[in-house]
């Protein structure tokens, strides 16, 4: 009987790209044998800003049934895969706000010794996907987390080209999540589950 693994996929999306990626990542982790919680972080933007963008309004409606993340999801998880759109080359404020609520758990050492990984999307191909993931990973080092990234461990990584984590170029919203990105979520999710299982089993000995 393989060691059971809990994976939380915790993400923010304004206009739906990260929603699609997060759902794929969650399905891939489940297919790899994990028990999965798909969780969105809270929206922080004022309604007036949301209302200027029909895609933002639509994504909020379309994700109404996705449970909002709580700190309990962090303690439950053996592995956490965070997703954030690239915002000026950085993590979105909404995901960062959730990370910033975790100081209590961090202080108790309850965010350490878990596996972490990340994924992102940007409008343009040199628009800061890698800086976003590296900025996210700064926090993981402070958690005492174990980063499991895809690297170039699969032939597909030489096609999508991002060893730091799955990343999608969405254009002006006109480039939907495609096969290349879905392959990347599968490779990343499988790797996260595999190493989480191995680490958990090893620590239990
Ligand atoms: C405030 C803001 C900042 C952004 N910054 C960047 C950026 O630095 N580089 C880039 O290529 N795209 C940038 N984008 C575009 C988003 O990263 C891109 O549209 C992403 O796919 C959105 O994901 P979502 O549909 O899940 O919200 C920005 C978008 C917004 C609203």
């Amino acid at each position: 009987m393989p060691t059971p693994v809990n994976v939380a996929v915790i993400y923010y999306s304004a206009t739906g790209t990260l929603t699609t990626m997060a759902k794929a990542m969650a399905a891939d982790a489940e297919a790899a044998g994990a028990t999965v919680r798909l969780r969105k972080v809270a929206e922080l933007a004022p309604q007036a800003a949301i209302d200027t963008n029909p895609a933002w309004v639509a994504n909020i409606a379309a994700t109404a049934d996705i449970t909002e993340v709580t700190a309990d999801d962090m303690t439950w998880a053996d592995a956490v895969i965070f997703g954030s759109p690239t915002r000026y080359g950085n993590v979105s404020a909404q995901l960062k706000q959730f990370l910033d609520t975790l100081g209590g758990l961090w202080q108790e050492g309850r965010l350490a010794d878990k596996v972490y990984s990340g994924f992102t999307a940007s409008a343009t191909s040199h628009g800061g996907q890698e800086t976003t993931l590296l900025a996210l990973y700064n926090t993981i080092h402070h958690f005492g987390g174990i980063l499991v990234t895809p690297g170039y461990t699969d032939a597909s990584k030489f096609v999508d080209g991002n060893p730091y984590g799955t990343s999608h170029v969405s254009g002006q919203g006109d480039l939907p999540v495609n096969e290349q990105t879905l392959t990347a979520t599968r490779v990343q999710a499988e790797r996260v589950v595999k190493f989480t299982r191995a680490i958990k089993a090893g620590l239990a000995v």
Side-chain angles (χ1 to χ4, degrees):
M1 173 86 176
T3 304
V5 166
N6 291 342
V7 174
V9 177
I10 298 172
Y11 80 100
Y12 174 71
S13 178
T15 53
T17 308
L18 269 286
T19 301
T20 304
M21 295 171 77
K23 285 181 173 174
M25 194 70 83
D28 291 335
E30 202 160 74
T35 301
V36 176
R37 288 185 185 178
L38 174 64
R39 297 290 186 260
K40 66 186 180 195
V41 300
E43 182 55 85
L44 300 176
Q47 193 62 43
I50 295 168
D51 287 341
T52 62
N53 187 339
W56 202 346
V57 174
N59 181 56
I60 289 175
T63 58
D65 61 333
I66 297 179
T67 306
E68 209 163 273
V69 70
T70 67
D72 171 68
D73 296 312
M74 295 297 297
T75 52
W76 170 85
D78 302 306
V80 182
I81 310 177
F82 287 117
S84 169
T86 288
R87 290 281 187 260
Y88 311 120
N90 217 319
V91 176
S92 65
Q94 289 85 347
L95 180 61
K96 185 65 167 59
Q97 164 73 4
F98 174 66
L99 297 174
D100 290 355
T101 65
L102 300 175
L105 289 182
W106 165 78
Q107 208 151 23
E108 294 166 10
R110 293 171 71 195
L111 302 175
D113 304 342
K114 297 175 187 292
V115 163
Y116 294 92
S117 205
F119 59 101
T120 190
S122 65
T124 59
S125 55
H126 297 283
Q129 296 178 339
E130 286 150 78
T131 55
T132 298
L133 291 173
L134 289 172
L136 171 68
Y137 294 161
N138 282 339
T139 298
I140 307 312
H141 293 298
H142 288 248
F143 284 178
I146 302 153
L147 274 172
V148 172
T149 55
Y152 291 99
T153 58
D154 186 272
S156 64
K157 297 309 297 179
F158 291 93
V159 179
D160 77 58
N162 194 338
Y164 300 89
T166 300
S167 54
H168 180 73
V169 177
S170 62
Q172 300 309 308
D174 55 333
L175 301 175
V177 171
N178 55 16
E179 274 312 309
Q180 181 176 297
T181 299
L182 294 175
T183 300
T185 62
R186 181 181 53 73
V187 167
Q188 186 170 4
E190 285 175 355
R191 196 167 155 79
V192 165
V193 172
K194 173 178 160 181
F195 283 99
T196 306
R197 181 173 286 136
I199 290 164
K200 198 176 170 185
L203 289 173
V205 175

